[in-house]
Amino acid sequence: MKPITRRTALVALATLGLAACASLPLNMKPPEVSVSDLRLIDVGLLEQRFGLSLRVLNPNDAEIPVDGLSFTVELNGKPFAKGVSNQTVTVPRLSEAMLEVEAVSSLSGLLRQFGAMAKGQERIDYRIHGTLYTGGLFGGVPFDQKGEVDFADLGVPAGTSRF
């Protein structure tokens, strides 16, 4: 058997690198993923389960097949919940689709957020980031979306205890 030469190894690595980027064609923009809704499903002593509605926006002139995702939700810059889903959906061209997923939070993450809200915090900054798997050979497309929920916009008077 012939030993692998340095040149052969470099060509193989370059080919793998190009294939890893092939989950979307080069001229396509990545889809945008945002949180549309958040619901408490189950509360346990050490963890909580949340239902999330995620909106996947496709800014491209071609459909995007999605066959799963993994994600992390942060609140006020701190990790809050994580989730995965193998749900499939095809996001039509220049359109959007909804994904219903679940995420799990730890007791410490929940208590940290209750503490911040009890101190009179006026808003919650959130971030959802992860990978949207598009059926490509080597993974998917990263996403990262930030936003905020302002309690004044929800009709909660400033300085009012929420609990």
Side-chain angles (χ1 to χ4, degrees), residues 13-91:
L13 284 174
T15 302
L16 285 173
L18 289 173
C21 296
S23 58
L24 285 180
L26 292 177
N27 62 346
M28 290 184 74
K29 297 176 189 167
E32 296 174 23
V33 178
S34 61
V35 179
S36 174
D37 192 24
L38 174 70
R39 300 163 308 284
L40 183 61
I41 295 175
D42 187 34
V43 177
L45 179 60
L46 298 177
E47 69 178 26
Q48 301 74 46
R49 186 166 297 281
F50 294 89
L52 283 83
S53 297
L54 302 179
R55 183 179 314 280
V56 182
L57 181 78
N58 180 3
N60 299 290
D61 193 26
E63 66 183 23
I64 298 176
V66 174
D67 65 3
L69 78 152
S70 61
F71 63 94
T72 299
V73 177
E74 295 177 7
L75 297 180
N76 297 321
K78 304 285 186 194
F80 178 68
K82 292 182 178 190
V84 295
S85 173
N86 63 0
Q87 183 179 353
T88 61
V89 66
T90 298
V91 187

